[in-house]
Amino acid sequence: MENGAAKPVIVAIDGPSGTGKSSTSKAVAAQLGLSYLDTGAQYRAITWWMVNNGIDTADPSAIAAAAAKPEILSGTDPTEPAITVDGVDVSGPIREQDVTSKVSAVSAVPEVRARITELQRAIAASAVTGIVVEGRDIGTTVLPDADLKIFLTASPEARAARRSGELKGADLHTTREALIKRDAADSSRKTSPLAKADDAVEVDTTDLTLQQVVECVVTLVEEKRAGK
């Protein structure tokens, strides 16, 4: 790297569903010329593979035995974050309800987390200009040495409203209950639970527009870069 070139900046953005993680992370990465990684998509991808290959997702030992089999490739372009499993583009199918309902159980299996965490660290390490990595355990487990850690929060009501907007026609109450249930599952699992890192900056997005959240995070990243 040339002298004077900016050091790659690694930004970890964690938080539960419906806080605006993906939209914020993609926009920040695009604005700052950084790579982008949606770690949730990787867990959805391995879950999709398990479902399609007849693995019993209620059996942790069956999941563990198959964890190393699928080849998962994640694109890191924030404008078009592609993801393939064994060469198949799964960016659409991994968002379907069948995968959504099983991803917490699959993600809780230590062998799955070890496999995906290794993948995530390799992608972050190879990002030339830096990367925005979003998930649930990035600042605590995957990239504990990230330059900047951000934890997004929002009220369950705000999160359900956003998620219902994404899932056209979804019932608000049902969506809220599903989010709370998923939070509980992700926060209580033994391996790498959803948690805020001690040194993370918490941003409550309840009353903020997406643009305001993006501006806030961009400012934090630029301050961090300037301080290096």
Side-chain angles (χ1 to χ4, degrees):
M1 190 180 288
E2 298 165 24
N3 289 338
K7 181 170 176 271
V9 62
I10 292 180
V11 182
I13 300 186
D14 290 304
S17 304
T19 51
K21 269 202 321 281
S22 292
S23 307
T24 300
S25 301
K26 279 187 250 189
V28 168
Q31 200 168 318
L32 294 173
L34 304 175
S35 295
Y36 159 76
L37 179 62
D38 174 357
T39 64
Q42 295 177 311
Y43 285 106
R44 285 174 173 274
I46 202 167
T47 303
W48 175 87
W49 185 91
M50 300 275 173
V51 171
N52 274 271
N53 283 274
I55 308 295
D56 181 359
T57 55
D59 179 357
S61 59
I63 293 170
K69 292 181 179 173
E71 184 190 6
I72 299 167
L73 285 177
S74 298
T76 57
D77 177 350
T79 58
E80 276 184 283
I83 185 159
T84 63
V85 180
D86 295 339
V88 179
D89 179 355
V90 294
S91 24
I94 62 171
R95 303 292 168 188
E96 288 168 9
Q97 186 53 41
D98 197 26
V99 170
T100 300
S101 63
K102 297 180 170 78
V103 68
S104 282
V106 173
S107 302
V109 176
E111 287 81 358
V112 169
R113 296 210 78 80
R115 163 91 203 279
I116 301 290
T117 297
E118 190 181 342
L119 200 56
Q120 291 162 0
R121 285 178 178 155
I123 291 167
S126 63
V128 181
T129 55
I131 192 166
V132 178
V133 184
E134 60 135 314
R136 284 168 163 72
D137 66 337
I138 310 307
T140 50
T141 303
V142 180
L143 300 167
D145 297 328
D147 300 300
L148 177 64
K149 299 176 190 176
I150 291 166
F151 193 85
L152 297 184
T153 62
S155 71
E157 291 71 24
R159 292 166 51 210
R162 287 172 191 160
R163 197 34 65 98
S164 296
E166 290 170 18
L167 309 168
K168 298 289 181 281
D171 172 67
L172 199 58
H173 177 74
T174 310
T175 304
R176 181 177 181 274
E177 294 307 305
L179 284 174
I180 290 171
K181 188 177 170 191
R182 172 116 195 245
D183 288 351
D186 290 347
S187 302
S188 61
R189 64 172 177 239
K190 289 191 176 70
T191 309
S192 307
L194 162 66
K196 179 186 167 212
D198 293 339
D199 53 349
V201 179
E202 187 167 320
V203 179
D204 188 331
T205 69
T206 305
D207 300 316
L208 300 177
T209 64
L210 172 61
Q211 195 48 48
Q212 287 172 318
V213 180
V214 171
E215 282 169 11
C216 171
V217 175
V218 164
T219 302
L220 288 167
V221 177
E222 287 178 335
E223 283 172 358
K224 182 56 76 173
R225 273 178 155 175
K228 282 185 180 170

